[in-house]
Amino acid sequence: MFRGFLQISLTLLLLIPIAMLMGTYMVRVFTGRKMALEAIYAPIETTVLNLGGVAYQKTMTGGQYVRAILLSNLVMGILVFLILMTQGILPLNPTELTAPSWDLALHTAISFVTNTNQQHYSGETTYTYFSQVGALGYLMFTSAATGIAVAIAFVRGLTGQPLGNFYNDLVRAIVRILLPISVVGAIALLIAGVPETLSGPAIATTLEGDIQTIARGPVAHFEIIKELGENGGGFFGINSAHPFENPNNFTNLLETLIMLAIPAGLVLTYGQLMGNPKLGWLMFSMVFILYALLNVIAAAGEYQGNPSVNALLDNPAPNLEGKETRFGWALTALWAVSTTGTMCGAVNGMHDSLMPPGGFATLSNLFLQIIWGGQGTGTAYLFIFLILTIFLTGLMVGRTPEFLGRKVEKREIALASLILLVHPIAILIPGAITLAYPESLSGISNPGFHGISQVIYEYASAAANNGSGFEGLDDDTLWWNLSASVSLLLGRYVPIIALVFLADGMMHKQKVPETAGTLRPDTLMFTGITAGAIVILGALTFLPVLALGPIAEGFSF
């Protein structure tokens, strides 16, 4: 027990200096400061933007920024869909795979362009090397960069600055953040034993004399952007539980910290860009505490084990079902909370095998979306909660709702409410429809309370742009591919559009001087109120489904 919780604690402590470094670095990137590798970065960015033929030096309005996001994502999604549907005649296909069904290809393209990477397939038996690297790997960079660009545009608008240019922000995020870290990280994974080859599967003879086919491929560079970009889509079907994606404890630690680095760092980036580092640290501390608490809940549930199994044993044991023995109960619980908290979606164990406290923790992450949240958008959601709390407390105490010297009015609250309401709509409505037809639609493998969690988790994962699965579902069907695609699109683009327009509106507001009646958000008391508002709003929205799923399952033992 001590060793397991020590591993979790040390990982959490390592996150703090990493977030500080990443937060400061991203400030330098998006404030245009000269960097050590400027002579390399600048020509690459200029070349890519010129080849794209976009007016990247022009500051965009809110409408222009949104159109640029939607148009670029539409073009990328169509391109990848066409690649997937024609992969049988494209190169780098050593196993001679043919095209998947149109609905699976559509779901995959939408899933990756929305930075979700929800997989209704097994990578090694469905998609070729060209599809995985040239199509899906390409979207891993661009979708992550899209989220970062929106986050930076949002904070610019909140502080009264122009939103900037989407294409410039997109390329800058790829060239200066995602690409260099991915190169270094891929080399580290190679050294640690992750393969990188274009050769076909290896053929081996087992000790019993049987022939075994071992899937492999260009995994190392795919794996690093999978974690860094909060993508989560595995090269192999069992994702980071596969020894070629995550062979040992070093790679497990590296991948855990990599998936946390940008979302955690962006909270501190926001504080610095707002000219109020204290506010950034208060928000960081609040999220860190909630993150640590959910880790304790999940890990304690796994350590206590399954009561039904322990009743058959002389000595109670932790729950090791669905876990890799090289990671054990503690690091699997830590990964599960981290991957659902950051909206990465990668897994190093089967979430379907988590005890009810683990199911509660992971579902809570998907419902709240701010611990630490999606790539870029999670930080923006966090500050949406902050703005909403300012508005509510301001009304209650008779003070003018203001944020960063700009009034929070009807338009801002309407857009903030839209951001928060589209998430439960994209989860609960399709979830209710699916559960109403358990035999024809759901594909549940475990009926009862656990089956409810399986269905709700799948839609929550899609709407939160997370991509992980509770598993146990027969999800490669026409219903699941199309219905999940709707949740993917709603969960990604409605909040992004609302975030950009909210920031655009705040940018045009006249700044008012601070007075004795101004409610300051950078205080411990207000941070506590914000945490309470987040928990209460989340509980009011999703407590019934949590009660029907993991909570009821926990009481059923």
Side-chain angles (χ1 to χ4, degrees):
M1 176 180 179
F2 174 78
R3 179 182 177 184
F5 281 101
L6 178 62
Q7 290 174 317
I8 294 173
S9 300
L10 291 176
T11 305
L12 266 60
L13 290 175
L14 285 172
L15 173 62
I16 297 174
I18 290 172
M20 291 172 60
L21 291 172
M22 185 61 73
T24 302
Y25 180 74
M26 286 188 287
V27 170
R28 294 181 61 86
V29 168
F30 290 106
T31 53
R33 300 180 192 175
K34 296 282 186 179
M35 310 186 74
L37 299 177
E38 189 70 27
I40 298 175
Y41 293 150
I44 295 175
E45 291 170 354
T46 303
T47 301
V48 170
L49 289 166
N50 286 334
L51 288 174
V54 293
Y56 61 92
Q57 294 177 330
K58 178 184 176 182
T59 297
M60 292 179 169
T61 64
Q64 291 171 335
Y65 208 97
V66 167
R67 284 194 295 273
I69 293 171
L70 296 180
L71 179 60
S72 62
N73 280 227
L74 178 62
V75 171
M76 289 187 289
I78 292 173
L79 173 63
V80 167
F81 175 76
L82 293 175
I83 291 175
L84 299 181
M85 291 302 296
T86 58
Q87 69 173 5
I89 61 173
L90 295 175
L92 298 179
N93 186 7
T95 51
E96 299 181 354
L97 294 172
T98 58
S101 65
W102 71 268
D103 54 296
L104 177 59
L106 179 64
H107 175 269
T108 304
I110 292 174
S111 181
F112 277 75
V113 82
T114 57
N115 197 229
T116 309
N117 298 24
Q118 189 177 54
Q119 295 176 280
H120 290 172
Y121 65 88
S122 182
E124 64 267 45
T125 58
T126 307
Y127 290 123
T128 66
Y129 291 174
F130 188 88
S131 292
Q132 295 236 60
V133 176
L136 305 184
Y138 157 68
L139 288 181
M140 284 182 172
F141 281 94
T142 57
S143 63
T146 297
I148 295 173
V150 170
I152 296 302
F154 181 68
V155 73
R156 286 180 185 140
L158 293 184
T159 55
Q161 303 174 55
L163 299 181
N165 184 285
F166 170 70
Y167 298 110
N168 191 37
D169 292 337
L170 178 78
V171 173
R172 184 170 285 257
I174 293 173
V175 172
R176 296 178 184 247
I177 300 174
L178 300 176
L179 195 56
I181 298 176
S182 294
V183 170
V184 175
I187 294 173
L189 290 179
L190 270 170
I191 294 172
V194 178
E196 180 79 10
T197 178
L198 293 176
S199 300
I203 307 299
T205 302
T206 67
L207 293 176
E208 292 80 10
D210 296 327
I211 301 299
Q212 182 178 4
T213 302
I214 304 173
R216 54 183 176 175
V219 182
H221 83 280
F222 194 89
E223 183 72 16
I224 193 66
I225 189 57
K226 180 187 89 174
E227 314 297 359
L228 178 66
E230 304 306 309
N231 294 288
F235 195 91
F236 302 102
I238 59 172
N239 210 279
S240 293
H242 196 290
F244 285 174
E245 291 196 31
N246 190 9
N248 51 57
N249 277 291
F250 169 76
T251 58
N252 192 72
L253 175 63
L254 175 62
E255 292 173 22
T256 302
L257 292 173
I258 282 291
M259 80 169 77
L260 291 162
I262 294 179
L266 265 172
V267 180
L268 302 179
T269 299
Y270 263 44
Q272 293 185 52
L273 292 177
M274 290 176 176
N276 193 341
K278 181 183 177 183
L279 176 60
W281 274 108
L282 286 170
M283 291 294 103
F284 179 90
S285 301
M286 178 190 74
V287 176
F288 188 89
I289 291 170
L290 292 172
Y291 169 61
L293 179 61
L294 289 173
N295 268 295
V296 170
I297 291 173
E302 298 310 303
Y303 176 74
Q304 290 173 0
N306 189 322
S308 300
V309 174
N310 285 338
L312 305 175
L313 303 175
D314 294 331
N315 297 309
N319 174 37
L320 295 178
E321 178 191 331
K323 296 175 178 61
E324 281 296 309
T325 55
R326 62 185 186 276
F327 305 134
W329 62 270
L331 295 182
T332 304
L334 171 63
W335 185 293
V337 174
S338 300
T339 194
T340 52
T342 60
M343 302 307 145
C344 176
V347 296
N348 73 347
M350 293 299 101
H351 290 191
D352 189 48
S353 296
L354 292 173
M355 296 302 296
F360 175 87
T362 52
L363 276 170
S364 296
N365 274 333
L366 298 179
F367 293 154
L368 294 177
Q369 296 193 90
I370 53 93
I371 311 170
W372 299 88
Q375 190 73 294
T377 54
T379 310
Y381 294 158
L382 175 62
F383 280 81
I384 287 294
F385 274 111
L386 183 64
I387 291 171
L388 188 61
T389 305
I390 286 174
F391 182 78
L392 294 175
T393 53
L395 292 180
M396 286 190 292
V397 300
R399 295 185 177 185
T400 303
E402 298 172 3
F403 185 62
L404 300 179
R406 291 168 176 80
K407 291 184 178 181
V408 178
E409 298 175 304
K410 177 182 176 181
R411 183 175 185 271
E412 288 72 47
I413 296 305
L415 289 169
S417 300
L418 176 62
I419 292 167
L420 299 181
L421 286 174
V422 71
H423 189 55
I425 289 172
I427 297 171
L428 299 179
I429 292 178
I433 295 172
T434 302
L435 289 169
Y437 300 93
E439 294 183 0
S440 57
L441 296 183
S442 70
I444 293 172
S445 62
N446 292 294
F449 304 128
H450 197 81
I452 293 174
S453 296
Q454 287 179 330
V455 169
I456 296 300
Y457 191 106
E458 189 75 4
Y459 286 117
S461 176
N465 300 139
N466 176 259
S468 65
F470 222 56
E471 301 310 332
L473 286 176
D474 180 17
D475 51 21
D476 184 15
T477 64
L478 183 65
W479 167 256
W480 273 115
N481 286 334
L482 296 185
S483 64
S485 294
V486 173
S487 294
L488 289 166
L489 293 169
L490 287 176
R492 176 68 165 181
Y493 294 111
V494 173
I496 279 181
I497 292 169
L499 284 170
V500 173
F501 281 123
L502 193 155
D504 189 52
M506 292 290 281
M507 178 189 72
H508 289 99
K509 288 181 179 287
Q510 187 69 33
K511 189 170 183 178
V512 296
E514 185 176 315
T515 66
T518 301
L519 195 62
R520 293 187 60 86
D522 57 349
T523 64
L524 282 173
M525 179 179 290
F526 192 84
T527 303
I529 295 171
T530 303
I534 291 170
V535 173
I536 290 171
L537 287 173
L540 289 174
T541 306
F542 292 108
L543 184 58
V545 75
L546 284 171
L548 289 171
I551 294 176
E553 185 181 2
F555 281 107
S556 67
F557 281 103

